[in-house]
Amino acid sequence: MRKPLIIGNWKMNTSLADATILATQIKNNIADLDVDVVICPPFVWLYPVAEILEKAPKNIHLGAQNMWFSSQGAMTGEVSPLMIKALAKYVILGHSERRSHFYEDSSLINDKIHAALENNLTPVVCVGEKSKKNHGKKIGRPSKKVAESDLISQLKGSLKHISRNDADKIIITYEPVWAISTTVGSEEATGAYAAEMIKEIRDTLADLFGTPASERIKILYGGSVDSENVREFVFQPEIDGVLAGGASLSAKEFIKICREAAGER
Ligand code: PGA
């Protein structure tokens, strides 16, 4: 089994004071756990959190939640790979909130993944089927067939022209949109369902990069993960860790998620 990786995506939450306390408490409580941890604060808190993590245990790292693909220039409001790599090692790309609210498509996400790899950043690439459309409203889980085809097209589009060597440096997160805690009418996915879909993802990665590479790539699950259900996901052999959103905003809850994932009671 690959060592579990636990990512906290703070999204557009926390004040500077909250971010400082959260990062400090997490840093002080995960050194003894056999998990790797990545915390992803909003851009403006990357620098203060990087300072907090300066002398942190080796198993905690910093990540950004997004990135533009060019190094510098006239891109008002954007943040470049060069800026991020001065502070962080990881970057979340293709999150469903970026895909839906900011109209990011797989081709743009593909450009960002290439840029991250060229800058030695580890891309955490999010893929996941959208909610089913019901009477014009997006709500609930689609059929498995629709989910699989959505997922495979996101994967193939986002990972275009990535070499086998580089494939090893990517982390994939499977996040079905209908299971994200803030999605209207969200439902919880079961561990068995997540494992089944992650197996599909791994098969697609094997088509793209060959079986040995596909077996080395870490694939996480994300969507309403908390300390109560985390074991249902991380103890599935197919699943290498989790990405938590809402539950990563409480130090106590996030540390508990890490403990549970490390197998402690
Ligand atoms: P959630 O968010 O854990 O609050 O469902 C996960 C995500 O969207 O990254």
Side-chain angles (χ1 to χ4, degrees):
M1 215 178 121
R2 293 158 282 250
K3 184 172 173 184
L5 173 63
I6 312 296
I7 301 183
N9 175 12
W10 299 359
K11 305 194 181 182
M12 196 176 69
N13 294 299
T14 66
S15 64
L16 176 56
D18 294 336
T20 307
I21 295 167
L22 193 49
T24 307
Q25 288 182 340
I26 295 167
K27 172 186 104 168
N28 290 344
N29 285 283
I30 48 96
D32 57 326
L33 302 178
D34 193 24
V35 289
D36 283 314
V37 175
V38 177
I39 52 175
C40 303
F43 281 139
V44 284
W45 309 150
L46 279 174
Y47 186 74
V49 173
E51 285 199 313
I52 290 168
L53 298 188
E54 227 164 49
K55 291 199 180 85
K58 284 199 166 40
N59 62 339
I60 181 163
H61 307 280
L62 188 59
Q65 297 174 18
N66 180 37
M67 183 190 85
W68 190 247
F69 62 83
S70 50
S71 304
Q72 59 182 48
M75 292 302 301
T76 302
E78 287 295 335
V79 174
S80 85
L82 288 183
M83 295 165 183
I84 292 172
K85 84 173 180 188
L87 300 170
K89 275 179 74 176
Y90 292 76
V91 58
I92 298 175
L93 296 173
H95 191 281
S96 60
E97 287 150 15
R98 301 290 323 167
R99 291 179 193 259
S100 68
H101 304 316
F102 303 95
Y103 310 106
E104 292 195 7
D105 60 12
S106 294
S107 152
L108 175 63
I109 293 158
N110 180 246
D111 286 339
K112 293 183 176 195
I113 296 170
H114 280 281
L117 291 166
E118 279 157 22
N119 284 282
N120 292 322
L121 286 161
T122 301
V124 177
V125 181
C126 298
V127 290
E129 71 270 18
K130 291 179 278 303
S131 304
K132 167 178 76 177
K133 269 213 176 121
N134 212 342
H135 304 295
K137 284 197 182 133
K138 288 185 193 158
I139 194 155
R141 171 178 153 173
S143 72
K144 191 146 178 277
K145 209 169 147 210
V146 169
E148 275 170 10
S149 97
D150 195 358
L151 199 54
I152 291 172
S153 95
Q154 287 178 31
L155 271 172
K156 291 195 168 160
S158 308
L159 299 178
K160 244 190 193 145
H161 306 308
I162 303 284
S163 69
R164 280 185 186 208
N165 260 356
D166 278 348
D168 266 359
K169 301 172 194 156
I170 291 175
I171 292 164
I172 305 282
T173 301
Y174 169 56
E175 297 204 306
V177 177
W178 51 268
I180 291 177
S181 66
T182 47
T183 299
V184 179
S186 75
E187 296 170 30
E188 272 191 31
T190 61
Y193 178 83
E196 212 181 302
M197 296 304 276
I198 285 177
K199 167 91 177 53
E200 294 287 338
I201 293 176
R202 216 177 281 287
D203 289 348
T204 307
L205 296 176
D207 287 347
L208 294 171
F209 306 115
T211 304
S214 76
E215 280 167 359
R216 289 192 299 267
I217 297 173
K218 282 198 171 179
I219 310 181
L220 317 184
Y221 171 74
S224 302
V225 173
D226 58 27
S227 63
E228 297 288 313
N229 64 18
V230 62
R231 275 183 294 174
E232 183 175 342
F233 299 105
V234 287
F235 289 179
Q236 302 271 351
E238 273 298 335
I239 307 183
D240 303 313
V242 292
L243 186 155
S248 71
L249 293 170
S250 149
K252 198 169 157 213
E253 177 66 4
F254 188 69
I255 293 160
K256 207 161 166 223
I257 290 176
C258 297
R259 282 196 187 284
E260 293 288 336
E264 288 195 13
R265 298 289 171 268

